[in-house]
Every structure is written in structure tokens, then in C-alpha cells.
Amino acid sequence: MSRLSDLRYSDVTPQSIYVNRRRFLATAAAAAGAIAGPFSGQGRAAALTGAKSAFSTTEKPTPQQVITSYNNYYEFGTGKDEPVRNAPKWKVPAPWTVQIGGAVAKPKTLDLDAILKLAPLEERIYRHRCVEGWSIVVPWIGFSLSALLKQVEPTAKAKYVAFETYYDPKAMLSAREAGIPFPYKEGLRVDEAMHPLTLLSMGLYGETLPNQNGAPLRLVIPWKYGFKSIKSINKITFTEKQPDTAWATYAPNEYGFYSNVNPKRDHPRWSQASENRLGEGFLGKGTRRPTEMFNGYAAQVAGLYNGMDLMRNY
Amino acid sequence: MPKILASKWTKAAVFLVCLAPAGYLLALGGLEYRAQVQGIGQPGNLTGDPIKYITHFTGDWTLRFLLLTLAVTPLRKLLNQPQLARYRRMIGLYAFFYGCVHLMIWMGLDKEFAGAELWKDILERWYITVGMASLLGMLPLAVTSTAGWIRRMGFVKWQRLHRLVYGCAALGVIHYYLLVKSDIRLPLLYGAILAVLLSYRFAVRRRKAGAVAAR
Ligand code: HEM
């Protein structure tokens, strides 16, 4: 896999465009604020940049407009164009805290500012593959989740890590409407969670995360289907047993705990052999491409699953 | 009211109104073409995933026109507007039209005419199988929708064949129910509308049968 070594930073949108875009956004936000009334001043992006990372792909990042307007965030609507309309109205609670406990020596509740100081920020350009058969390339800002998890000193009993999304019934759909249980839950094995590729992200495209992308902080696990990369995390628990996860609870025959990208293992309703890369080509023409095992990250992560039957442990 | 409904201008207007969703889609496509190919204006007119957007858009309108077709007769009777019958064929054909566009988008844009993958999906994915059955069911109805065919088949036989449209609509609702991931509110809404239309039909039938028995 040569992908990870040969980063060409020129593939990424140059800083001048960031800056211009940010100026544009600020103007647009001000204009919108004048009209939007009660919701003005919320969800406005602030600059957040990071050093380039050897983990980045050289593939061309998907346009920011696509990444921030086409989202699966069921709490804010089950259509992919709904979160961009509904999520910005949500006021992210401040200070944002993440409660970390369970099988750990030092349970802690950390606020966002403290978390941001744990490690230097990096920009990691990752491929992102949705279970529905589309993919994007995202320049995330963040650092390895392990930097956060080490703070609480997991005990020998800790085999899994459970994550939970903040749930605000007033601003979000009910579980009944969305059809899946809320608060949204996800989980990883400890070795997956501690893997350097597993990213705790607070931004994308040089700015803080928009609400619809999981503000203020989320996971990004590039070798797993997108729904594993849980958004707006406010609770992390180390456990001995495999935790319940939202989609696997809802339909265990369709979604498994691992949900590693695997072109050979079809979802009952979609082939996983290929994917549509969004944001390229008129009407997506010529953007269908074969899906790679572990989304192309096999060299880094295949070792985590030695001896496991991945057709059964999907 | 009956006069307006009988006018050929009204029929032309309804024809254009039914074409409006397609026109809207074409306009968005035009904007997207300008943005993506000519570099004028903002992209994203068809959301981040244009193929999916167009598929959903045309699927929605297929089902809506199908249900609208089924609503014509009850409305005609309830509102006592016999002229409404003139519109049923056109609306039904529009359902078939949007269904064909829906299928072509899936085959051409989504699967890029990859034969093997198409067959695999049609045979293995239940929601595709059911959608295909629904559209195939509409095919003989579209073909025999002319006055000539009613004459040739005889009205009773023709009417019996065209009851298939209820099956097509039911398959359309099932197709939708099967393909959503977890939010079943809209498929259930369409299913409920279909149930109301069906029960109206049964009620009328039962009353007729009762009238015959009482004689
Ligand atoms: C001819 C065979 C058909 C094929 C191959 C087909 C295929 C599809 C596909 C691939 C989708 C999108 C699935 C997804 O989002 O993952 C879809 C959605 C849909 N289709 Fe079809 N379909 C067919 C026939 C029909 C017919 C006849 C109807 C209506 C009676 C219909 C109504 C719908 C509806 C309502 C949706 C969902 C729209 C939404 O989510 O807003 N389809 N179809």
C-alpha cells in the first residue's frame, strides 16, 4: 500500500481558498443571522487547523459543500439532506463535557478545552465509506482517540469501549420517528479504539465541525462503515462485554458489531462490491469504483482480525 | 365545474402540471450541469448524491401518480363529477412514465448498465424484485390503455385486467417499505392512503352486491 506514504499536500484545497471561503462563510452567516433571528450566532464555524499527517490519502478531497450538506445524522432527520437544515438550529451545550468511565483506574469528565489540549491537532485526509454504497474523502482535523483514552487508564478487564451520542429530545427526532434507538450508541474493541488510525475529530476542512457533521467532537474509523464513526460524543465507557450498538440492535442480520468495510460481504439490500464517489463528475458519471477490503486500510488494520471469520463477524 | 373539466384546455393544463416534476428535475439538472461542467454557480442542486436524489424523486412521483390514478374514480363518484374520468388514463400513463425514468436512472446512472450486477440485484434484492414486478405489471395496463383496446377486449375483460393497478400500487408501497433503513413513516403513510382507496372500492362493491341481493 503506497497510499499512505506519498502525501501530496497540493491535492488539498490550498489555504488561500480556505481563507476566502471562511470570509465568505462569515459574511453569509452574518447575513443569515440577520434573517434567522433566534438561531443566529450558532453553529458558526471557527478556524481549526492541524499539521499534515502521514496517514492521509493522496486522493482528492470531496468538496466541502458535499461533505457538509449530505449527512446521515438520524437525530436531525432520516433524509440525508435534512441534517443540514435541522442541525444548525441546535445549540451545542457549553461547556461540552465527555464523561469517561467503566473499567478504568481514573474515571474522568473532561471538557472540550481540556480535550483539545491533549495532543497536537493533525489534518488527516481519510476515505469514508457509507454502508449505503457511497463514499467521500474528508480532510478531518483531530488526533488519535488513544490520546484521550489513555487519560483514564483502562484496567485489564476493559475489552470494549462503548460510545454514546448526546441526545436532546427537544431538538431531535424521537427514537420512534427515526426507527432506531436513541441515544445513539456505538462500540469498538479496545485494540480497535487504541489503533492510531482511529481518529477523534473536532473539525474538517480547516474549521470546527458543523453540527450536521457531529459537532463538537466525533469518531472517525476509516476502515469501517460510516455509521460506526459516532457523532457528538458525550459519554465513553470501557466494558468487559461487547456493548450494544444502534444499528446492530435495530437489525442484527443487516449490521454487525464490527462492520468493517468488506466488498465480499453484501448487505442484504445492497451490494458492497463497489461504491459511488460523491462530488465528482456530472450526475456522478463515471464515479463508481470497486470497494477495497478495509476501505483500502488493510495494511494498517488487517492484523487486528487475524484468525477471525470476517464473513460471520461482519 | 363540469364544463371546465370537459374542456380540452383543462386537459392540456393537467398534462403540463403532471409534467412539472420532470421539468423541475430537468431544471435542477441544468443548474448542476452549469456548475459542474461550465463552472457557473454553485453545485449541489441535486444534493451531494445526484443519482440517489433523482432515483428517490422519480420513485416518489411514480407512487404518487399511481395512487392519484386510483383516487380518480372515488373522487368522481364522491364529487359527482363524471368528467373526471377523462383524466384517469393520462395520470396512469404518467405513473408509468415516471416509473420508466426511475428504472432507467437506476440501470444507466446508478449501475452504469453493468449487466451482471443488474441481474444480481433484480434476483437477490427483494426490494428491487418487488419494484420490478410493480413496473412490469404496469406495462400491459399502459399498452391497453387506449379506447381501441377497450373495444377489442370488451369492457368487462378490460376492467378486470386493469384491476391489476391495485397490485402494482401495493407492490410499490412494499418496495418503499423494504428499502428504507429504519424510518418507515412515509411508506406507512402511502400504505394507509392505498388502504383507504381499497376499502372505498370494497365498500362500493359490497353495496352493489347488497343491492343485487335485495332485489
Ligand atoms: C422497475 C424497477 C425498479 C427498480 C429497479 C427500483 C429501484 C429503486 C432504487 C434503487 C431506489 C433507491 C433505494 C435506496 O435509496 O437505497 C428506489 C426508491 C424508490 N422507488 Fe423504486 N424501483 C423500481 C420500481 C419502482 C416502482 C414501480 C415504484 C412505484 C410504484 C417505485 C417507487 C420507489 C419509491 C417511492 C422509492 C423511495 C423514494 C424515497 O425514498 O423518497 N419504484 N427504487
Side-chain angles (χ1 to χ4, degrees):
Chain A
M1 294 257 98
S2 63
R3 269 220 179 86
L4 292 176
S5 48
D6 55 355
L7 172 89
R8 272 182 290 120
Y9 213 66
S10 58
D11 287 332
V12 185
T13 313
Q15 186 64 29
S16 64
I17 297 185
Y18 278 1
V19 173
N20 278 336
R21 191 181 300 116
R22 215 162 319 140
R23 196 173 305 138
F24 164 73
L25 280 178
T27 321
I35 311 164
F39 300 120
S40 57
Q42 284 160 30
R44 208 174 290 175
L48 193 74
T49 49
K52 57 185 173 179
S53 156
F55 287 129
S56 289
T57 170
T58 57
E59 282 166 76
K60 194 168 170 282
T62 303
Q64 184 180 22
Q65 192 272 338
V66 172
I67 297 172
T68 58
S69 69
Y70 195 73
N71 311 92
N72 270 320
Y73 196 157
Y74 270 38
E75 285 86 336
F76 291 114
T78 59
K80 273 170 281 292
D81 52 351
E82 287 178 72
V84 67
R85 279 184 268 128
N86 299 332
K89 299 174 198 162
W90 175 54
K91 188 168 162 38
V92 177
W96 184 271
T97 55
V98 181
Q99 185 193 332
I100 318 175
V104 300
K106 291 187 185 161
K108 271 185 187 169
T109 298
L110 294 172
D111 68 22
L112 197 56
D113 289 335
I115 293 171
L116 275 164
K117 288 189 196 113
L118 292 177
L121 289 173
E122 299 166 40
E123 176 172 72
R124 296 210 194 157
I125 307 166
Y126 279 168
R127 287 179 294 278
H128 183 88
R129 169 67 155 80
C130 178
V131 72
E132 297 163 1
W134 51 268
S135 65
I136 49 180
V137 178
V138 188
W140 300 108
I141 309 290
F143 49 71
S144 295
L145 174 67
S146 59
L148 174 65
L149 298 186
K150 277 181 206 148
Q151 303 297 317
V152 295
E153 297 174 19
T155 66
K157 271 195 179 154
K159 299 281 183 292
Y160 295 91
V161 197
F163 303 88
E164 220 175 276
T165 294
Y166 185 91
Y167 184 60
D168 177 355
K170 283 202 276 308
M172 297 170 175
L173 288 193
S174 69
R176 217 176 151 158
E177 291 167 312
I180 55 168
F182 290 148
Y184 192 87
K185 292 190 171 73
E186 257 310 333
L188 295 169
R189 241 169 35 197
V190 165
D191 57 345
E192 295 176 319
M194 298 302 256
H195 193 283
L197 272 181
T198 302
L199 185 73
L200 184 68
S201 171
M202 304 82 173
L204 61 84
Y205 260 110
E207 289 166 0
T208 52
L209 287 176
N211 286 1
Q212 64 272 24
N213 291 84
L217 86 171
R218 63 171 294 167
L219 288 194
V220 181
I221 310 138
W223 72 93
K224 292 176 181 283
Y225 293 120
F227 65 86
K228 294 293 292 181
S229 294
I230 185 169
K231 298 182 174 82
S232 310
I233 303 164
N234 78 331
K235 196 170 168 200
I236 302 178
T237 315
F238 284 82
T239 64
E240 213 175 333
K241 292 210 182 70
Q242 183 177 299
D244 286 341
T245 58
W247 285 100
T249 306
Y250 163 70
N253 58 327
E254 296 183 35
Y255 312 93
F257 175 77
Y258 287 95
S259 292
N260 293 316
V261 175
N262 184 349
K264 292 204 206 74
R265 212 253 171 216
D266 282 354
H267 182 277
R269 284 177 289 156
W270 310 288
S271 159
Q272 298 294 26
S274 62
E275 66 203 52
N276 268 333
R277 178 63 52 83
L278 303 188
E280 291 176 13
F282 176 57
L283 299 188
K285 215 173 137 22
T287 63
R288 188 160 277 280
R289 65 189 69 210
T291 291
E292 292 184 61
M293 188 66 203
F294 297 116
N295 202 20
Y297 296 95
Q300 289 76 35
V301 301
L304 293 171
Y305 309 102
N306 280 340
M308 264 176 74
D309 180 353
L310 294 176
M311 295 303 272
R312 290 184 58 212
N313 294 290
Y314 53 84
Chain B
M1 189 74 178
K3 255 205 192 119
I4 300 173
L5 287 174
S7 154
K8 65 173 186 250
W9 295 108
T10 311
K11 197 158 181 185
V14 173
F15 181 86
L16 288 177
V17 167
C18 293
L19 209 53
Y24 175 71
L25 199 57
L26 273 177
L28 290 182
L31 283 177
E32 192 63 9
Y33 183 83
R34 267 163 60 101
Q36 292 271 358
V37 181
Q38 304 175 330
I40 312 167
Q42 284 289 318
N45 301 285
L46 297 161
T47 77
D49 193 345
I51 299 177
K52 192 130 286 168
Y53 179 78
I54 300 171
T55 308
H56 284 187
F57 186 93
T58 51
D60 281 341
W61 282 106
T62 310
L63 194 50
R64 285 172 195 157
F65 275 110
L66 214 45
L67 293 177
L68 205 58
T69 315
L70 293 176
V72 170
T73 301
L75 285 179
R76 172 172 65 92
K77 290 183 180 161
L78 289 173
L79 304 177
N80 201 14
Q81 296 291 344
Q83 288 294 339
L84 273 176
R86 297 171 66 238
Y87 298 88
R88 195 169 59 163
R89 169 165 178 254
M90 185 166 79
I91 298 173
L93 284 175
Y94 263 114
F96 185 64
F97 164 72
Y98 282 101
C100 288
V101 177
H102 185 62
L103 173 67
M104 291 318 289
I105 295 295
W106 176 71
M107 281 179 35
L109 281 182
D110 196 351
K111 297 290 164 180
E112 299 182 357
F113 294 115
E117 210 177 312
L118 285 176
W119 276 113
K120 193 168 166 238
D121 267 8
I122 293 171
L123 298 175
E124 278 183 16
R125 319 249 173 257
W126 271 103
Y127 81 96
I128 300 272
T129 317
V130 170
M132 198 56 101
S134 171
L135 193 68
L136 281 179
M138 282 149 87
L139 179 66
L141 308 187
V143 171
T144 62
S145 66
T146 62
W149 270 100
I150 302 181
R151 224 179 308 114
R152 233 165 297 162
M153 291 180 70
F155 185 69
V156 175
K157 250 181 153 176
W158 182 89
Q159 202 181 28
R160 202 173 296 151
L161 173 67
H162 279 250
R163 267 182 215 139
L164 198 57
V165 69
Y166 283 95
C168 295
L171 289 174
V173 170
I174 295 170
H175 169 69
Y176 196 1
Y177 180 82
L178 289 175
L179 71 89
V180 294
K181 271 164 67 187
S182 66
D183 182 354
I184 54 173
R185 285 175 294 171
L186 277 175
L188 286 187
L189 175 67
Y190 283 115
I193 293 171
L194 177 63
V196 168
L197 292 170
L198 262 176
S199 44
Y200 175 82
R201 226 202 121 83
F202 280 126
V204 169
R205 235 172 129 177
R206 189 162 317 148
R207 212 167 44 195
K208 268 193 195 153
V212 170
R215 234 186 302 173

